């Protein structure tokens, strides 16, 4: 479902760590329970819309699955003022007391940071803490059910239903909330609406069971919102809850939910357009230092002034949301890491610096938000890429040629500049030195560099513009890969290649590859420790088949790469990677950072490429041969 395209049995087998025969058995079993959930064909397997409706717990005919039992126990603990008796609960659930004790240990671990305390007197267990803490805990339980941090409304609804919430009205509630806030003139972040809808559903459920928030309940946001706007949004939410959940929320409930909405759904700084907000000076100073560090380390040009002010507001907003256990999910995390690894890496560096200064951990979704701020600042500073040059071959009328040239340059948005024009019916094709040749006449059948020649009509259509844009993209990619092809020999270290590395965790692979580079005198233990710290902040699996662990400093003696490959894959924080490239960067070779990241990730963006290399490469020479072949084919 995540790939939303055909995948082969071999790919699925590698990803799951089983054989293709097992994959075929799984597909058969799933289709017997839910007909046509998975479609098969010459290209492999593909999930159909029916697959989205499959409830994994429902595939188990036995009642009382471990997940269901855990949620039932959580619900009893939250709803009971007297506590839950272990022996009575075991009898009712028809399980052993040891099983219930095991579930209670899991729940105890889930309570960390929620404000709830686990209390036990003999066989009776209870939770101590405020009503607000209990609601936050329910939100945490639901979010823990979601896979890969994906923004999947149906998954949120299913997870909410498992803990007893009424999730039928989630979609309508989200639409109502976004529409109501937009009508009030707020700039709305729809990505964050799902979590606030979940909090509204939790509030409705708790109030329906007799647990309300008092009017003195803590309200996040503090003075960043006026009493008037909080009351206005509280009225909106109260009306939505009554209509969609049939529950009348009290003043304490609606005011608290209003503050959550203003913190999460409303973009920072848009609450009162007449009085632009500024972040706390201490937070803005911390953000400024983090941004300065990124500029210094990566040598990038950022529109720093506006960036710092906007990002500081976002970080302040995040700190307040973190106190409420309110985290918005960003569906672009996976794609942004693969498409813009350098920007994501800059965001990791900013998040790491802020984490040390402010004492809060930034999850991947929030790091992606920081990356979007940084990417916008880079774009506002101008696209640093040079235009591609093109020769226009267009015999005939001058006016027609002039209009065609203007149309090309305007339509391609500065990507391509026509630097040479040929009016000959028989030009010397070999002598054109530009990146592209755009011609209104047919070129000869065999011309050197024919892959850069694009046949166009004298009067362009949108389809013709798209073909030229595709050719420009192809030329840029070929250039990038050519640079990688020319430099790969000097990066890889002969003594730092491992096949089927015997490791069960990313940290073990990092230590093994780091040790190989340390033995060559390229890095020291501090660099390996820094790489482990970088991995802790955010996974370095930049595609589903490639991990690129590295330190957050450029302190290596020289830029070098150690490689580990695994035909069956290594579990890398939920991804099953086949190629691990531990990269050590030196300060004197900073330009290689972007080249290594973007080009290496470009090569392995296709999982089939990683599978091919992992299958064929037995040592470093064969690995380099396969890598070079993939580059040439690209």
């Amino acid at each position: 479902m995540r790939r939303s395209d055909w995948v082969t049995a071999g790919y699925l087998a590698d990803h799951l760590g089983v054989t293709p025969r097992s994959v075929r058995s799984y597909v058969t079993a799933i289709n017997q329970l839910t007909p046509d959930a998975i479609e098969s064909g010459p290209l492999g397997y593909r999930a159909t819309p029916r697959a989205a409706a499959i409830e994994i717990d429902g595939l188990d005919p036995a009642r009382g699955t471990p997940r269901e039992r855990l949620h039932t126990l959580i619900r009893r603990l939250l709803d009971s003022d007297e506590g839950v008796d272990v022996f009575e609960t075991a009898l009712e659930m028809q399980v052993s007391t040891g099983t219930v004790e095991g579930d209670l240990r899991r729940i105890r671990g889930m309570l960390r940071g929620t404000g709830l305390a686990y209390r036990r007197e003999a066989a009776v267990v209870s939770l101590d803490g405020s009503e607000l803490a209990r609601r936050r805990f329910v939100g945490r339980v639901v979010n823990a059910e979601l896979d890969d941090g994906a923004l999947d409304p149906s998954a949120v609804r299913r997870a909410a239903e498992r803990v007893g919430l009424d999730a039928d009205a989630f979609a309508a509630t989200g639409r109502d909330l976004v529409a109501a806030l937009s009508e009030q003139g707020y700039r709305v972040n729809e990505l964050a609406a799902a979590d606030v809808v979940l909090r509204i559903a939790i509030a409705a459920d708790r109030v329906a069971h007799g647990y309300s928030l008092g009017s003195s309940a803590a309200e996040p946001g503090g003075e960043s919102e006026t009493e008037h706007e909080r009351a206005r949004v509280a009225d909106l939410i109260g009306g939505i809850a009554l209509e969609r959940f049939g529950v009348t929320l009290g003043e304490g409930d609606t005011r608290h939910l209003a503050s959550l909405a203003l913190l999460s759904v409303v973009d920072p700084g848009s609450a009162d357009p007449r009085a632009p907000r500024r972040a706390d000076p201490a937070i803005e100073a911390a953000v400024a230092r983090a941004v300065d560090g990124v500029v210094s380390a990566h040598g990038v040009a950022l529109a720093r002034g506006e960036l710092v002010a906007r990002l500081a507001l976002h970080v302040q907003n995040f700190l307040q949301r973190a106190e409420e256990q309110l985290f918005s999910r960003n569906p672009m995390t996976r794609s942004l890491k693969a498409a813009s690894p350098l920007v994501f890496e800059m965001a990791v560096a900013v998040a790491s610096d802020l984490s040390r200064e402010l004492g809060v951990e930034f999850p991947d979704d929030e790091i992606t938000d920081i990356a979007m701020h940084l990417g916008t600042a880079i774009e506002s500073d101008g696209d640093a890429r040079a235009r591609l040059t093109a020769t226009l071959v267009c015999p005939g009328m001058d006016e027609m040629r002039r209009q065609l040239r203007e149309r090309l340059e305007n339509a391609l948005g500065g990507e391509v500049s026509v630097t040479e024009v040929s009016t000959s019916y028989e030009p010397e094709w070999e002598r054109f030195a530009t990146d592209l040749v755009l011609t209104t006449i047919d070129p000869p059948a065999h011309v050197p560099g024919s892959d850069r020649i694009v046949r166009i009509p004298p009067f362009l259509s949108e389809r013709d513009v798209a073909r030229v844009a595709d050719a420009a993209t192809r030329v840029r990619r070929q250039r990038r890969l050519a640079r990688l092809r020319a430099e790969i020999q000097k990066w890889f270290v002969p003594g730092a290649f491992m096949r089927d590395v015997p490791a069960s965790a990313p940290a073990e692979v990092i230590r093994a590859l780091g040790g190989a580079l340390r033995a060559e005198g390229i890095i020291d233990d501090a660099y390996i420790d820094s790489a482990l710290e970088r991995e802790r902040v955010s996974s370095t699996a930049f595609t589903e088949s490639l991990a690129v662990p590295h330190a957050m400093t450029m302190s290596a003696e020289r830029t070098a790469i150690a490689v580990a490959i695994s035909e069956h894959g290594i579990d890398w924080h939920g991804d099953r990677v086949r190629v691990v490239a531990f990269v050590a960067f030196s300060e004197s070779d900073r330009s290689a950072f972007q080249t290594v990241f973007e080009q290496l990730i470009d090569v392995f963006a296709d999982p089939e490429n990683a599978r091919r290399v992992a299958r064929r490469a037995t040592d470093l020479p064969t690995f380099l041969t396969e890598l070079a072949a993939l580059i040439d084919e690209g």
Side-chain angles (χ1 to χ4, degrees), residues 295-314:
V295 170
S296 175
H298 295 277
V300 293
L302 297 173
R304 186 183 175 285
E306 292 184 7
L307 168 66
V308 169
R310 291 197 312 270
L311 186 54
L313 269 177
H314 178 85

Side-chain angles (χ1 to χ4, degrees), residues 193-205:
D195 219 16
V196 175
V197 169
L198 171 62
R199 294 306 182 94
I200 294 174
I202 292 171
D205 178 75

Side-chain angles (χ1 to χ4, degrees), residues 388 408 411-412 415-416 436 438 454 462-476:
L388 293 180
L408 278 168
L412 293 169
E415 287 285 309
V416 177
L436 293 170
L438 312 177
V454 183
E462 291 186 5
R463 183 175 61 182
D464 301 317
V465 172
R467 286 194 300 109
V468 176
D470 288 343
T473 300
R474 184 176 64 250
V475 167
R476 288 189 186 279

Side-chain angles (χ1 to χ4, degrees), residues 244-275:
R244 298 301 179 186
F245 294 96
V247 176
T248 300
L249 300 179
E251 181 185 0
D253 298 289
T254 57
R255 285 175 62 85
H256 183 78
L257 291 170
S259 290
L260 295 184
L262 289 168
L263 265 180
S264 188
V265 183
V266 172
D267 282 352
S270 74
D272 188 354
R274 296 166 299 176

Side-chain angles (χ1 to χ4, degrees), residues 250 317 348 383 468 497 499 540 561 565:
N317 177 283
V348 168
D383 190 350
V468 176
F497 178 88
R499 179 175 174 82
T540 56
I561 303 177
I565 62 173

Side-chain angles (χ1 to χ4, degrees), residues 283 287 311-320 354 358 362:
I283 294 176
V287 169
L311 186 54
L313 269 177
H314 178 85
V315 170
Q316 178 171 283
N317 177 283
F318 165 68
L319 294 176
Q320 294 168 338
L354 292 175
L358 304 177
F362 287 78

Side-chain angles (χ1 to χ4, degrees), residues 96-111:
S96 69
T97 55
T99 298
V100 175
E101 295 282 8
D103 290 338
L104 288 171
R105 283 193 293 271
R106 287 186 60 192
I107 293 171
R108 190 171 187 175
M110 296 167 67
L111 293 175

